[in-house]
Amino acid sequence: MYRSNLESIFMPHDLSLLGAKTRPLPLPTSTNARNLDTHIAFLPEDKAALDSLEIRKRVFTKGCDIIHEGQQLQNAYILCSGWACSYKLMRNGTRQVINFYVPGDLIGIRRLLLPNSDDSLCAITRVEVGEINLQDLLEAFDGNGRLAMSILWSTLRDEAIVVQHLVDVGRRRPIDRVAHFFLELGSRLSLVGLGTKTAYQCPLTQSLIADALGLTAVHFNRVLRQLRELNAMTFHEGSVELLDAKRLERLADFDSSYLR
Amino acid sequence: MYRSNLESIFMPHDLSLLGAKTRPLPLPTSTNARNLDTHIAFLPEDKAALDSLEIRKRVFTKGCDIIHEGQQLQNAYILCSGWACSYKLMRNGTRQVINFYVPGDLIGIRRLLLPNSDDSLCAITRVEVGEINLQDLLEAFDGNGRLAMSILWSTLRDEAIVVQHLVDVGRRRPIDRVAHFFLELGSRLSLVGLGTKTAYQCPLTQSLIADALGLTAVHFNRVLRQLRELNAMTFHEGSVELLDAKRLERLADFDSSYLR
DNA sequence: TCACAAGTTTAACCCAGATTAACAAATGGT
DNA sequence: ACCATTTGTTAATCTGGGTTAAACTTGTGA
């Protein structure tokens, strides 16, 4: 049994991840989806489809649970700024981070339709989201095949990412996982105009990433050092630089096409 | 690096998993979805929605790739009888099984909309499927919100399963993984009327399951023995019996609600 | 400016699980 | 009934990476 990063879970600074204190800090402003076009991962045509929905803006503070287990009426959100992640806490105190979300990502759809999902969603930094009402969505579905298609597409992309993640954790060496992780992140961020594929800002802590990759924070750190010594990449003070992307891609057997 | 079950991959009997020889054996019979109601995992209302689609029946022989990497025109399928799985082959000869599919499951949707997915789909036993044409699907989407919703729901359920699988591989002890695996399978099968939650037929080989759970075949077998000695479950000659489901559920921290 | 908290880095120890090998049992083809 | 191929079982050995713990950095707020 892995009890990695247990401390971090029980430390005050991480209580948020346990859902102990949730203060959604709602600054609701009714607006239209067209105001969200800062970063949208949808296809251009699909973005238009979203415009038909009324969307309220909300802000969540760093470390605050966006969706917590057992909450009654759920909403879906479009992430406008900031980072979030979905994770599952195990009874044994371990946690598995399932996915990180960056601006442009659509989150909470699964929970909307499958209310029994037992994973949680948490703001890693201060986060601005556009709230999508379930009722609106259902109604929009009937008349608007494009919107439905667009949501489905986004969901499938999400699944593809989780599938890659599964392959990562199941069958890659730690060093390959780390390489794959930073390559994927670079691709996703550059797609929405946040940094380039080989240099971007990343506010995640090492323990958080370790919990995503199924490693301990200590070992993740060891691997980072390895990669640094290979002159392949660096990750310092929230800045990621992929110095030798070719090498990383070879390590990770990475092909970004599943993201598009 | 794990090179589990390498032999099995390079052995002749498993060439099929490499996509070396693919003979789809098409016995196409035009029919209607209503003829597929042997086992359907959809909600009853959703099943009706499917009736609007023309569906051709096809048969794939055991071990044959249903969808292979790089194939041009893809289709989605409803699995009518038999078992299939999706998997990804790694460059190092390893493979990760992503999901197993049982009758009633909708397969190939992801590949339909994200043609660049690099995983493959393979018939484990002789398999009968109903073929869904992409064009039909797209057209049906526009007029039929229920159908869209139903497909989306099925996709989200699929994602939920993969998420559970990820948590499994990332953060559970091997014995818990195995328990979780057989519990989930029991739930899924009993939902479509194939066996009960605690006793069912399962045509999977130990290496195949091991490749799903991120274990070696040898270790998987050890764990099976452990569970047998605990009088918790047995798996012999394709028959699974969960003798002590309570204990298994405790081990796996299992809650089947994400499947419904 | 100091103290404490959050996160990073390194080193020492050791166990779960991978690897290998060898055999037994089952399956299938002729 | 035979042999060949696959699949399952068990035991022996070895190592990757988890665990622990302690020093070090940085940032933050009193």
Side-chain angles (χ1 to χ4, degrees), chain B residues 24-75:
Chain B
L25 279 212
L27 297 183
T29 318
S30 195
T31 164
N32 241 16
R34 92 186 74 249
N35 298 341
L36 299 172
D37 53 13
T38 42
H39 317 281
I40 294 287
F42 294 109
L43 301 172
E45 316 90 89
D46 301 338
K47 204 175 66 174
L50 275 174
D51 286 347
S52 58
L53 293 176
E54 271 293 308
I55 290 192
R56 284 199 319 161
K57 213 156 201 171
R58 293 189 72 166
V59 174
F60 293 93
T61 52
K62 173 176 175 173
C64 147
D65 268 19
I66 297 176
I67 290 173
H68 39 290
E69 280 190 58
Q71 186 175 310
Q72 279 310 319
L73 197 50
Q74 304 289 359
N75 289 301

Side-chain angles (χ1 to χ4, degrees), chain B residues 2 11-13 205-207 218 221-222 225 228 236:
Chain B
Y2 313 123
M11 283 308 182
H13 75 283
T205 68
Q206 293 191 7
S207 346
V218 175
N221 179 270
R222 262 200 295 267
R225 177 157 49 91
R228 198 187 319 132
H236 268 310

Side-chain angles (χ1 to χ4, degrees), chain A residues 83-137:
Chain A
W83 292 51
C85 73
S86 59
Y87 65 96
K88 176 168 159 60
L89 286 178
M90 312 296 289
R91 255 188 339 193
N92 59 28
T94 308
R95 80 178 161 206
Q96 173 71 44
V97 170
I98 294 160
N99 202 351
F100 294 108
Y101 300 101
V102 300
D105 287 345
L106 187 59
I107 57 188
I109 289 277
R110 180 156 37 91
R111 180 162 283 281
L112 206 59
L113 271 84
L114 279 77
N116 290 313
S117 310
D118 56 354
D119 54 341
S120 312
L121 205 52
C122 169
I124 292 171
T125 65
R126 179 174 183 281
V127 148
E128 294 176 353
V129 299
E131 190 176 83
I132 300 175
N133 182 266
L134 174 58
Q135 211 51 48
D136 290 355
L137 190 66

Side-chain angles (χ1 to χ4, degrees), chain B residues 48-251:
Chain B
L50 275 174
D51 286 347
S52 58
L53 293 176
E54 271 293 308
I55 290 192
R56 284 199 319 161
K57 213 156 201 171
R58 293 189 72 166
V59 174
F60 293 93
T61 52
K62 173 176 175 173
C64 147
D65 268 19
I66 297 176
I67 290 173
H68 39 290
E69 280 190 58
Q71 186 175 310
Q72 279 310 319
L73 197 50
Q74 304 289 359
N75 289 301
Y77 302 96
I78 289 186
L79 189 47
C80 303
S81 75
W83 292 51
C85 73
S86 59
Y87 65 96
K88 177 169 159 60
L89 285 178
M90 313 294 290
R91 253 188 339 192
N92 59 28
T94 309
R95 81 179 160 204
Q96 174 70 45
V97 170
I98 293 159
N99 202 351
F100 294 108
Y101 300 102
V102 300
D105 287 345
L106 187 59
I107 57 188
I109 289 278
R110 178 156 39 89
R111 178 162 285 279
L112 204 61
L113 271 84
L114 279 79
N116 290 314
S117 311
D118 57 353
D119 54 341
S120 314
L121 204 52
C122 170
I124 293 172
T125 65
R126 179 172 184 281
V127 147
E128 292 177 355
V129 299
E131 191 176 82
I132 300 176
N133 182 266
L134 175 58
Q135 211 52 48
D136 290 355
L137 191 65
L138 291 179
E139 283 166 16
F141 254 52
D142 254 327
N144 191 336
R146 274 231 64 83
L147 176 67
M149 209 48 151
S150 148
I151 304 273
L152 179 60
W153 184 84
S154 155
T155 297
L156 287 167
R157 178 180 188 263
D158 231 54
E159 187 185 349
I161 290 175
V162 177
V163 163
Q164 285 291 334
H165 194 166
L166 169 62
V167 171
D168 232 32
V169 171
R171 289 293 174 212
R172 272 192 254 258
R173 297 177 309 174
I175 193 171
D176 303 348
R177 281 182 222 178
V178 174
H180 189 273
F181 175 80
F182 283 110
L183 284 167
E184 180 186 289
L185 211 48
S187 285
R188 288 174 63 182
L189 287 171
S190 72
L191 273 177
V192 291
L194 295 172
T196 71
K197 283 191 184 183
T198 55
Y200 52 88
Q201 297 302 306
C202 166
L204 309 174
T205 68
Q206 293 191 7
S207 346
L208 207 49
I209 303 177
D211 275 347
L213 300 184
L215 303 173
T216 57
V218 175
H219 194 59
F220 175 68
N221 179 270
R222 262 200 295 267
V223 174
L224 270 187
R225 177 157 49 91
Q226 268 183 273
L227 287 169
R228 198 187 319 132
E229 283 165 0
L230 286 169
N231 286 319
M233 63 161 295
T234 61
F235 174 35
H236 268 310
E237 296 156 26
S239 292
V240 176
E241 276 187 86
L242 310 185
L243 307 170
D244 189 346
K246 287 268 179 305
R247 171 171 225 154
L248 292 173
E249 284 172 12
R250 226 178 309 122
L251 275 179

Side-chain angles (χ1 to χ4, degrees), chain A residues 25-237:
Chain A
L25 279 212
L27 297 184
T29 317
S30 195
T31 165
N32 240 15
R34 92 186 74 249
N35 299 340
L36 300 172
D37 53 13
T38 42
H39 316 282
I40 294 288
F42 294 108
L43 301 172
E45 318 90 90
D46 300 337
K47 205 175 63 175
L50 274 174
D51 287 347
S52 58
L53 292 177
E54 272 293 307
I55 289 192
R56 285 199 318 161
K57 215 158 200 171
R58 295 188 71 166
V59 175
F60 293 92
T61 52
K62 171 176 173 172
C64 147
D65 267 18
I66 297 175
I67 289 172
H68 39 289
E69 279 190 57
Q71 188 175 310
Q72 277 310 320
L73 197 51
Q74 304 289 0
N75 289 301
Y77 302 96
I78 289 186
L79 188 48
C80 302
S81 76
W83 292 51
C85 73
S86 59
Y87 65 96
K88 176 168 159 60
L89 286 178
M90 312 296 289
R91 255 188 339 193
N92 59 28
T94 308
R95 80 178 161 206
Q96 173 71 44
V97 170
I98 294 160
N99 202 351
F100 294 108
Y101 300 101
V102 300
D105 287 345
L106 187 59
I107 57 188
I109 289 277
R110 180 156 37 91
R111 180 162 283 281
L112 206 59
L113 271 84
L114 279 77
N116 290 313
S117 310
D118 56 354
D119 54 341
S120 312
L121 205 52
C122 169
I124 292 171
T125 65
R126 179 174 183 281
V127 148
E128 294 176 353
V129 299
E131 190 176 83
I132 300 175
N133 182 266
L134 174 58
Q135 211 51 48
D136 290 355
L137 190 66
L138 290 179
E139 283 166 17
F141 254 53
D142 255 327
N144 193 335
R146 275 231 64 84
L147 176 67
M149 209 48 153
S150 149
I151 303 272
L152 180 60
W153 183 84
S154 155
T155 297
L156 287 167
R157 178 178 188 265
D158 231 55
E159 186 185 349
I161 291 175
V162 177
V163 163
Q164 285 291 333
H165 195 166
L166 170 63
V167 171
D168 232 31
V169 171
R171 289 292 174 211
R172 272 192 254 256
R173 297 178 308 173
I175 192 170
D176 304 346
R177 284 182 222 179
V178 174
H180 189 272
F181 176 80
F182 284 110
L183 285 167
E184 179 186 287
L185 211 48
S187 285
R188 288 174 63 182
L189 287 170
S190 73
L191 273 177
V192 291
L194 297 172
T196 71
K197 283 191 185 183
T198 56
Y200 52 88
Q201 298 301 306
C202 166
L204 309 174
T205 68
Q206 292 190 9
S207 346
L208 207 49
I209 303 177
D211 275 347
L213 300 184
L215 302 174
T216 57
V218 174
H219 196 59
F220 176 66
N221 180 271
R222 269 199 286 260
V223 173
L224 271 186
R225 176 158 49 90
Q226 269 183 272
L227 287 168
R228 199 188 316 132
E229 284 165 359
L230 286 170
N231 287 319
M233 62 159 297
T234 61
F235 174 35
H236 268 310
E237 296 157 26

